[in-house]
């Protein structure tokens, strides 16, 4: 009894012919003698299935001698093949490889994508001491303040009364580099021209 040499085309043909009219390698219900591709869904219940697991050579046509592994030099008994088998390890390796590839692709795209920089548009009111203050010089002093993440924009003089005008000037800042406290400290440092500084408008970009 057996299938011949399952490592040869002839042996595989005997096995195929044997299974041509059978749902299972033995009997008509799932058992310990389950055929892997047909019965894999029963893997969790394998131990509780009926029947007794036997070596591969104990199944098959009675008039065919089992010769699988007869020419092998490995000391392991090749006849005792677990037909139920498991390719979990191979699947796990494949899944791990795919996951690593996708992670690498994601990191590559993330690295190429420019980081978003938080910016704000700020409108400042800079007030002079009186109507005799040189407003052109005052604006020159304000614009002389330079910092990474600071860009000065348009400006205009706005009347506040009694002939006094204030400087209203726009700037764009990078939030993590420039703040209103820093601007106020540096602008009011020009104390010969500047009485005070206020934030008239603050908008996130």
């Amino acid at each position: 009894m057996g299938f011949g040499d399952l490592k040869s085309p002839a042996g595989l043909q005997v096995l195929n012919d044997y299974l041509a009219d059978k749902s299972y390698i033995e009997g008509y219900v799932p058992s310990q003698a389950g055929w892997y591709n047909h019965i894999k869904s029963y893997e969790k219940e394998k131990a509780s299935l009926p029947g007794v697991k036997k070596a591969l050579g104990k199944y098959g046509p009675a008039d065919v001698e089992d010769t699988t592994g007869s020419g092998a030099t490995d000391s392991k008994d090749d006849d005792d093949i677990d037909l139920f088998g498991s390719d979990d390890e191979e699947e796990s390796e494949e899944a791990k490889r795919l996951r690593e590839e996708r992670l690498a692709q994601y990191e590559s795209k993330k690295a190429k994508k420019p980081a978003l920089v938080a910016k704000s548009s700020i409108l400042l009111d800079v007030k002079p001491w009186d109507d005799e203050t040189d407003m052109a010089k005052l604006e020159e002093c304000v614009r002389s303040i330079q910092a990474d993440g600071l860009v000065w924009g348009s400006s205009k003089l706005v009347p506040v009364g009694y002939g006094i005008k204030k400087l209203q000037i726009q700037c764009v800042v990078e939030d993590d580099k420039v703040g209103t406290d820093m601007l106020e400290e540096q602008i009011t440092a020009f104390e010969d021209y500047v009485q005070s500084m206020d934030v008239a408008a603050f908008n996130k970009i």
Side-chain angles (χ1 to χ4, degrees):
M1 179 176 288
F3 300 104
D5 186 358
L6 285 178
K7 294 182 180 179
S8 69
L12 291 175
Q13 185 60 50
V14 172
L15 177 60
N16 284 335
D17 292 343
Y18 179 77
L19 292 172
D21 59 350
K22 296 175 176 62
S23 295
Y24 302 95
I25 199 168
E26 181 182 61
Y28 299 94
V29 296
S31 70
Q32 294 289 335
W35 184 243
Y36 175 72
N37 287 333
H38 193 81
I39 197 172
K40 188 174 187 294
S41 62
Y42 289 95
E43 186 167 2
K44 292 182 179 179
E45 294 86 1
K46 179 183 177 185
S48 63
L49 294 177
V52 178
K53 178 181 174 182
K54 296 180 290 187
L56 181 60
K58 302 300 182 180
Y59 304 104
D63 58 345
V64 177
E65 181 183 358
D66 177 51
T67 59
T68 301
S70 60
T73 57
D74 194 338
S75 60
K76 183 179 179 180
D77 184 4
D78 290 336
D79 286 344
D80 189 16
I81 297 175
D82 184 0
L83 295 180
F84 209 89
S86 174
D87 61 349
D88 286 350
E89 183 176 349
E90 294 179 4
E91 289 179 351
S92 177
E93 289 297 324
E94 180 68 11
K96 181 179 178 182
R97 183 182 67 80
L98 290 174
R99 184 167 57 253
E100 289 176 349
E101 286 182 359
R102 289 171 182 168
L103 182 60
Q105 291 174 359
Y106 170 77
E107 292 295 339
S108 177
K109 290 180 180 179
K110 185 177 179 181
K112 293 177 181 178
K113 185 177 180 180
L116 294 177
V117 178
K119 295 182 179 181
S120 298
S121 174
I122 305 175
L123 183 63
L124 302 175
D125 281 346
V126 184
K127 298 176 182 178
W129 287 106
D130 51 39
D131 60 343
E132 295 182 357
T133 300
D134 186 341
M135 297 304 293
K137 185 64 177 177
L138 184 150
E139 181 174 353
E140 181 183 330
C141 291
V142 171
R143 289 186 181 276
S144 70
I145 299 172
Q146 301 294 320
D148 185 24
L150 170 64
V151 178
W152 292 109
S154 60
S155 65
K156 64 180 180 179
L157 296 178
V158 180
V160 294
Y162 304 101
I164 300 175
K165 295 180 180 181
K166 66 181 178 181
L167 173 68
Q168 198 167 75
I169 186 168
Q170 189 89 26
C171 67
V172 174
V173 302
E174 293 184 20
D175 295 347
D176 61 344
K177 294 179 180 179
V178 179
T180 55
D181 290 343
M182 185 205 82
L183 291 173
E184 182 176 13
E185 180 181 349
Q186 295 196 28
I187 289 174
T188 55
F190 298 106
E191 54 187 16
D192 290 341
Y193 302 97
V194 178
Q195 181 190 78
S196 63
M197 186 215 85
D198 296 309
V199 177
F202 190 105
N203 298 293
K204 293 288 186 181
I205 299 178

